[in-house]
């Protein structure tokens, strides 16, 4: 993607020496890094390196015992997940977390939750402002459905969909919130090559068309090198590398830890 | 024929009342996966709060309508406080625990509520009169000799239950909060990630369940008087749920109707040959049979396991 | 080559741009096209279409598009692409639609051969291919795209709406700039070039004139009584002559409403929502639909399943007779009514065929089981026989004369003749002008007096219906002189839902042997029901249970063949189930999914030899192209089974 031109200067989120432990077991130790507006930032590292924990800290599922996270210039303490969502952080999960009983459409509609504001009474009757609002949201959702090419499964309960499509619906739900920062926890895990390429294209297109900042965890090094602007490398809860793919690829510590070179 | 219909209709109407209690269970189970054993105690508490407040307001010589309305508001506030406390003091602390642990916690809530409500409001049997007519009426007199004897109160109960279910259906299917509730029921973490505040949702669910308990308490209280045995209704709701499925609102209704009609018919038509008393155990045996044949209930989510 | 129409334009409605102008003038608010966008069907009126076409054409003028220029059109069926065809024709240009799933080399061949300077593509996928081609074919100077998705950072492209904006500006100053050009066109002009994906060699570009297309559109519409406002769903490739006639030519000539599906994957849904009155489906699609229905029914509850079986049985017995207007007893009529209420109606509705008045299938022989299933439900399904070179129509089943073993009677003005070798020849006003820049091929196919060689062997039966046996050059003989018609046998095999493709060998051999490709959906479902575990296509194909299943079906085909004394000697004696699905990307199928027998014979030579040298199994490694274009290999040992031939039935008198 040589033709992706951008100026990455504004910091959207910065993580300042956070540490997280669960009952004495250290999951993250003194991690600092930042995510710049408009970039695709990847977090990589071997299993158990603390990647998901880091993502969970950013979106408020976990609260680090030490350090702070600054988002859009605001230092925040103990933010809860729904508050993170309100501030424009959306995410997907490593093990798909969809509303299995609902259709694709309803799942993505739920992603619009924060944008919906009319009163209960109007909503129940689908009258007046509620009807207009429902139509507006439906339009936004249809645009996402079109974008992700999932028109054919609009009305299908997501529980019946194959894995790759579920991942796509989950991405759709996250996009429905029109997030500023999108966290993707292994968006391509368990996919075959073709599905992976589709997903890569969607991630790049999201970044490109909507200007969404993306922070993703991914195992497939090829994918990571291809699509991310900068990488953070974790190992045993510590940061061992940070920088553009080319630099990280040649970093000795990273090669040793990640590519499993024996010492 | 007329007699059969009379028994059947009587049973169905009684079933409506079971459904009302079962509904509260379903709501909480759907939204939080918790089997709320305290639902019976909530019915008792709501009914006690209502009847005692009504007594007090009437002693103050408030006009009946005002007194009744105020008493309902008072009882609703009590249910809201219970919902808030349950979320704040119990659920929030036990988030992500096993279902059985939450179930045990609701048993604790049950005893606490039973004790607290009776010490606050007294433990006597209080007759409740909210203005629902209680006269027996005869239906279809032109068709059957003597017509069918039905208690007017039961008919009102059915009407109220119908309205309640319609309201709940609208609430669940068509509102943003309803969609949020369904989302929470499906996946907690995902719901949070799209900006649904879990704590608020749980509060709302318990509040709704509390209001359903208030309605159930009002109807049962009008019929039997407000007394401790209301709390035991929870036990009757169990077979209803097994029949209807733990996650289905229509299931709770149909299950209630089947149990209600079934036990009355069994009592009247099988009772004489089996020595009577069938009504007491019929529901449980039916539920047991159902567990063997269709464990997910009539309307429960189908359990699909492919080998 | 191109006829310069500038000198002899006429007032007659002999070209599509002229028809469009007329339709926009009279009844311009009637619906012409529909497409589903963001979940909602948008309708475009004839007046709207005329304006869109004019602005696009004017934009093309600004870009230097002139009379005789070819315009490549590539993408899924989208109204804007259909309009682009008309825009090019308005200027006296010749549109060249290309199959959207062509790989870059195939597309490159067409672009270069057609000498096109202009191309309109639906989206990034097609633009990427065209950009690749432009590197080696610099003549291709103007690339226009419809969907901007993913193209933001591309350079040197124009969007459809940009071109139209330029056109709007031109029209503001010179309002007649397009209309004047359109008026110069006439019926004898080249209207379109359709490249045919022949079973051998390079594609050939059949040049069809307006006269060809307008005749075909009228003849077909007249044959089956199409009316203005009839609806159809355009879901087959725009580069295929059938779609060009049904969705384009007949759209203008008859005034059909052309509905474009939301995406290739939503066709079934769109079909249900639109409920077309005019429908075309290749046999493959008809077969898939039945497979899906069957699977759904096997999953259904007992009552539903029984009901389905009983009423479909009834329908198969009396449905076709009812449709043909023959006598049926009152009791049966009433039962059929009941069936319609309970089964056929809902089923037709879910297939999107409730309103269908005329449905065609063609392209390959269709199984009589499959064909009669639709007729049994009361859907007026017919076969037609046609070719690109004929502007489609050669023969069609007339109403009341539908036989699954024939392809119908000649359409009016079509003459038929059987050549000395048994080959079918035809002559009609729809016969193509020439193959573009290929006089040699034109002369091979079309005689000086206008007869076209179909390449198909067939005969006219006593009812005056045409019967097609096989490709003329494929009909051969076994070593003992027995008639060997491979496609005939392959089609018999393919009528089983478990068999997706079959390739039989026998020319110059002692006996007939077959390759079978299983249908992964149907066999996968079958296996799941029997708890047969498999991890891949290859593993499933090699399971002995699957072999047993396929063997049973081949034995039924053999029984069938044994019943025909001419064919009894051509029973299948040995077979194997291929470990790889035959695929157009590997060149094993044509783009229209016909097997390329010769190519397959070469590619799988070790397996073919094993079939004839008595081996019980054979090992083979074969290349495969994945959907994303990567190459890989599949390797494995394939079992071979022997079958005992059945005795031939005695020759019946006068049969």
């Amino acid at each position: 993607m040589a033709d992706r031109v951008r100026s990455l200067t504004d910091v959207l989120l910065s993580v300042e020496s956070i540490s997280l432990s669960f009952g004495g077991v250290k999951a993250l130790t003194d991690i600092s890094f930042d995510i710049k507006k408009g970039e695709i930032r990847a977090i990589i590292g071997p299993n158990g390196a603390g990647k998901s924990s880091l993502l969970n800290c950013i979106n408020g599922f976990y609260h680090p015992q030490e350090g702070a996270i600054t988002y859009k210039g605001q230092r925040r303490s103990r933010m809860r997940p729904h508050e993170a969502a309100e501030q424009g952080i959306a995410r997907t999960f490593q093990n798909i977390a969809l509303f299995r009983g609902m259709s694709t459409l309803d799942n993505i509609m739920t992603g619009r939750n924060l944008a919906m504001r009319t009163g209960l009474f109007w909503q129940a009757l689908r009258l007046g402002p509620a009807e207009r609002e429902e139509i507006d949201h439906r339009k936004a959702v249809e645009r996402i459905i079109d974008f992700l090419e999932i028109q054919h499964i609009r009305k299908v309960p997501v529980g019946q969909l194959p894995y790759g499509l579920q991942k796509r619906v989950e991405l759709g739900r996250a996009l429905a919130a029109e997030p500023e920062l999108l966290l993707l926890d292994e968006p391509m895990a368990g996919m075959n090559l073709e599905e992976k390429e589709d997903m890569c294209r969607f991630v790049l297109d999201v970044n490109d068309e909507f200007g969404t900042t993306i922070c993703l965890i991914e195992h497939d090094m090829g994918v990571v090198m291809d699509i991310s602007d900068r990488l953070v490398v974790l190992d045993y809860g510590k940061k061992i590398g940070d920088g553009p793919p080319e630099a990280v690829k040649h970093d000795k510590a990273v090669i040793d830890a990640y590519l499993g070179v024996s010492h | 024929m007329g007699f059969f219909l009379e028994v059947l209709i009587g049973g169905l109407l009684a079933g409506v009342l079971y459904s009302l209690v079962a509904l509260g269970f379903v709501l909480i189970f759907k939204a939080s996966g918790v089997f709320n054993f305290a639902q019976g105690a909530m019915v008792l508490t709501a009914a006690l709060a209502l009847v005692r407040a009504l007594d007090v307001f009437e002693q103050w010589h408030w006009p009946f309508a005002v007194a009744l309305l105020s008493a309902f508001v008072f009882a609703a506030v009590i249910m809201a406080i219970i919902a808030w406390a349950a979320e704040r003091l119990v659920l929030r602390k036990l988030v992500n625990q096993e279902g059985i642990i939450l179930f045990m916690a609701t048993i604790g809530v049950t005893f606490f509520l039973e004790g607290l409500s009776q010490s606050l409001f007294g433990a006597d049997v209080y007759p409740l009169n909210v203005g629902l007519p209680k006269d027996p009426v005869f239906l279809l007199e032109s068709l059957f000799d003597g017509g069918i004897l039905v208690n007017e109160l039961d008919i009102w109960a059915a009407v109220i239950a119908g309205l309640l279910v319609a309201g709940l259906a609208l609430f669940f299917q068509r509102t943003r909060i309803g969609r949020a509730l369904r989302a929470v029921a499906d996946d907690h973490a995902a719901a949070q990630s799209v900006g649904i505040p879990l704590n608020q949702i749980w509060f709302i669910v318990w509040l709704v369940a509390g209001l359903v308990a208030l309605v159930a308490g009002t109807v049962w209280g009008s019929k039997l008087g407000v007394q401790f045995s209301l709390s035991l209704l929870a036990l009757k709701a169990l077979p209803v749920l097994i029949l209807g499925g733990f996650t289905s609102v229509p299931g709770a209704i149909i299950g209630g109707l089947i149990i209600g009609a079934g036990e009355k018919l069994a009592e009247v038509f099988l009772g004489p040959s089996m020595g009577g008393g069938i009504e007491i155990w019929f529901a449980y045996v039916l539920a047991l049979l159902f567990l063997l044949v269709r464990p997910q209930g009539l309307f429960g989510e189908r359990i699909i396991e492919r080998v | 080559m191109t006829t310069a129409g500038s000198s002899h334009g006429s007032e007659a409605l002999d070209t599509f741009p002229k028809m469009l102008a007329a339709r926009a003038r009279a009844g311009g608010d009637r619906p012409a096209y529909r497409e589903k966008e963001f979940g909602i069907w948008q309708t475009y009126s004839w007046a709207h279409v005329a304006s869109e076409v004019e602005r696009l054409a004017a934009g093309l003028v600004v870009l230097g598009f002139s009379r005789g220029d070819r315009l490549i059109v590539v993408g899924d069926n989208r109204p804007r692409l259909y309009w682009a065809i008309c825009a090019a024709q308005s200027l006296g240009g010749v549109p060249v639609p290309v199959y959207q799933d062509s790989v870059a080399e195939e597309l490159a061949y067409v672009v270069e051969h057609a000498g096109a300077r202009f191309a309109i593509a639906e989206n990034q996928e097609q633009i990427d291919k065209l950009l690749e081609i432009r590197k080696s074919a610099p003549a291709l100077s103007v690339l226009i795209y419809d969907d901007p998705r993913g193209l933001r950072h591309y350079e040197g492209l124009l969007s459809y709406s940009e071109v139209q904006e330029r056109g709007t500006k031109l029209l503001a100053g010179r309002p007649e700039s397009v209309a004047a050009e359109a008026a110069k066109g006439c019926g004898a002009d080249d209207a379109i070039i359709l490249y045919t994906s022949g079973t051998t060699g390079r594609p050939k570009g059949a040049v069809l004139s307006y006269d060809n297309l307008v005749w075909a559109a009228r003849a077909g519409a007249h044959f089956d009584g199409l009316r203005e406002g009839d609806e159809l769903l355009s879901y087959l490739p725009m580069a295929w002559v059938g779609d060009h006639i049904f969705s384009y030519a007949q759209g203008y000539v008859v005034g059909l409403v052309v509905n474009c599906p939301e995406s290739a994957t939503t066709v079934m849904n769109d079909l249900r929502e639109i409920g077309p009155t005019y429908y075309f489906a290749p046999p493959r699609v008809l077969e898939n639909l039945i497979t899906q229905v069957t699977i759904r029914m096997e999953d259904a509850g007992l009552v539903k399943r029984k009901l389905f079986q009983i009423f479909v049985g009834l329908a198969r017995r009396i449905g076709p007779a009812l449709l043909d207007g023959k006598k049926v007893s009152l009791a049966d009529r009433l039962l059929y009514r009941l069936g319609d209420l309970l089964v056929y109606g809902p089923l037709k509705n879910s297939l999107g065929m409730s309103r269908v008045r005329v449905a065609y299938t063609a392209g390959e022989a269709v199984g009589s089981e499959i064909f009669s299933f639709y007729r049994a439900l009361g859907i007026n399904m017919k076969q037609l026989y046609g070719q690109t070179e004929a502007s489609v129509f050669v023969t069609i089943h007339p109403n009341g004369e539908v036989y699954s073993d024939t392809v119908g009677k000649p359409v009016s003005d079509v003459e038929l003749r059987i050549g000395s070798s048994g080959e079918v020849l035809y002559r009609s006003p729809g016969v193509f002008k020439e193959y573009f820049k290929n006089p040699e091929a034109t002369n091979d196919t079309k005689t000086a007096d206008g007869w076209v060689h179909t390449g198909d062997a067939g005969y006219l039966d006593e009812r005056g219906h045409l019967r097609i046996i096989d490709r003329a050059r494929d009909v051969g003989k076994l070593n003992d002189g027995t008639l060997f018609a491979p496609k005939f046998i392959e089609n018999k095999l393919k009528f089983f839902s478990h068999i997706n493709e079959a390739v039989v060998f026998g020319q110059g051999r002692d006996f007939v042997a077959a390759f079978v490709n299983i249908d992964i959906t149907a066999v996968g479902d079958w296996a799941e029901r029997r708890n047969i575990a498999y991890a891949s296509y290859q593993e499933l194909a090699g399971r002995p249970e699957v072999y047993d299943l396929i063997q049973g079906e081949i034995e039924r085909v053999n029984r069938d063949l044994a019943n025909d004394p001419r064919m009894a000697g051509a029973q299948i004696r040995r077979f194997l189930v291929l470990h790889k699905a035959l695929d157009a990307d590997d060149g094993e199928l044509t783009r229209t999914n016909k097997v390329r027998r010769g190519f397959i014979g070469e590619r799988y030579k070790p397996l073919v030899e094993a079939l004839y040298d008595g081996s019980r199994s054979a090992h083979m490694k074969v290349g495969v192209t994945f959907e994303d274009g990567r190459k890989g290999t599949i390797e494995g040992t394939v079992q071979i089974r022997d079958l005992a031939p059945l005795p031939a039935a005695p020759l019946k008198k006068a049969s």
Side-chain angles (χ1 to χ4, degrees), chain C residues 91-108:
Chain C
L91 304 174
V94 187
V96 184
V98 188
Y99 285 93
Q100 65 269 40
D101 60 349
S102 313
V103 294
E105 300 102 77
E106 291 165 325
L107 183 56

Side-chain angles (χ1 to χ4, degrees), chain B residues 144-170:
Chain B
F144 302 105
D145 191 24
I148 296 167
L149 179 67
V150 179
N151 192 327
E152 217 177 335
L153 178 67
D154 287 342
I155 295 177
W156 275 104
V159 170
I160 291 169
L163 288 175
L164 189 68
V165 170
L168 286 173
L170 271 181

Side-chain angles (χ1 to χ4, degrees), chain B:
Chain B
M1 185 65 194
F3 179 63
F4 174 80
L5 275 181
E6 185 173 311
V7 174
L8 179 69
I9 290 175
L12 287 176
L13 291 172
V16 167
L17 298 176
Y18 294 146
S19 302
L20 277 178
V21 183
L23 258 181
F25 280 98
V26 168
L27 288 176
I28 291 184
F29 189 80
K30 260 174 89 91
S32 54
V34 178
F35 183 81
N36 177 27
F37 194 74
Q39 188 66 30
M42 283 163 70
V43 173
L44 173 66
T45 309
L48 273 176
L50 178 73
V51 73
R52 296 301 282 155
L54 190 59
D55 284 352
V56 171
F57 296 148
E58 280 186 320
Q59 275 168 23
W60 292 349
H61 300 292
W62 289 8
F64 180 72
V66 176
L68 185 65
L69 194 68
S70 310
F72 267 112
V73 171
F74 174 77
V77 168
I78 294 284
M79 296 325 286
I81 293 171
I82 291 171
W84 177 83
E87 188 279 316
R88 186 80 217 198
L89 304 175
V90 183
L91 290 171
R92 194 179 290 190
K93 307 291 172 198
L94 293 177
V95 75
N96 292 334
Q97 296 286 346
E98 296 281 329
I100 187 72
I101 293 182
L102 289 161
F103 173 63
M104 300 298 275
T106 66
I107 295 183
V109 172
T110 308
F111 288 118
F112 178 77
L113 274 184
E114 284 172 5
L116 185 73
S117 58
Q118 290 186 81
S119 61
L120 276 181
F121 302 117
D124 294 330
V125 176
Y126 303 97
L128 175 64
N129 183 359
V130 293
L132 290 176
K134 291 182 180 174
D135 303 324
V137 289
F138 292 90
L139 296 178
L140 301 176
E141 274 178 288
S142 54
L143 273 178
F144 302 105
D145 191 24
I148 296 167
L149 179 67
V150 179
N151 192 327
E152 217 177 335
L153 178 67
D154 287 342
I155 295 177
W156 275 104
V159 170
I160 291 169
L163 288 175
L164 189 68
V165 170
L168 286 173
L170 271 181
F171 177 67
F172 265 94
Q173 294 301 327
R174 311 199 60 169
T175 68
R176 179 173 62 90
I177 293 179
R179 190 148 48 207
L181 287 174
R182 283 190 288 149
V184 170
D186 262 357
D187 194 306
H188 291 176
Q192 283 176 289
S193 81
V194 295
I196 297 170
L198 218 50
N199 304 326
Q200 279 183 35
I201 291 296
W202 279 344
F203 168 70
I204 291 172
V205 171
W206 279 70
L207 176 60
V208 173
L211 296 179
V212 171
L214 176 56
V215 175
T218 308
V219 177
W220 276 103
S222 304
K223 197 175 161 78
L224 306 175
V226 177
Q227 53 180 318
F228 181 75
S229 68
L230 284 186
S231 176
L232 301 177
L233 280 172
L235 296 177
K236 211 43 168 262
L238 210 62
V240 173
L241 291 170
I242 290 170
L243 239 72
F246 279 83
T247 53
S248 166
V249 170
I253 306 297
I254 306 284
L257 294 179
I258 293 175
I259 297 274
E263 64 183 20
K264 285 283 185 297
L265 289 173
E267 180 67 47
V268 171
F269 293 101
L270 299 179
S273 57
M274 295 176 69
I278 293 179
E279 201 172 342
I280 299 165
W281 51 260
F282 175 80
Y284 300 97
V285 172
L286 195 62
L288 198 65
L289 288 175
F290 240 78
L291 278 177
L292 295 175
V293 180
R294 199 180 158 89
Q296 74 270 29
L298 281 175
F299 294 85
E301 278 154 34
R302 202 165 157 194
I303 305 160
I304 302 165
E305 275 179 61
R306 290 213 163 182
V307 191

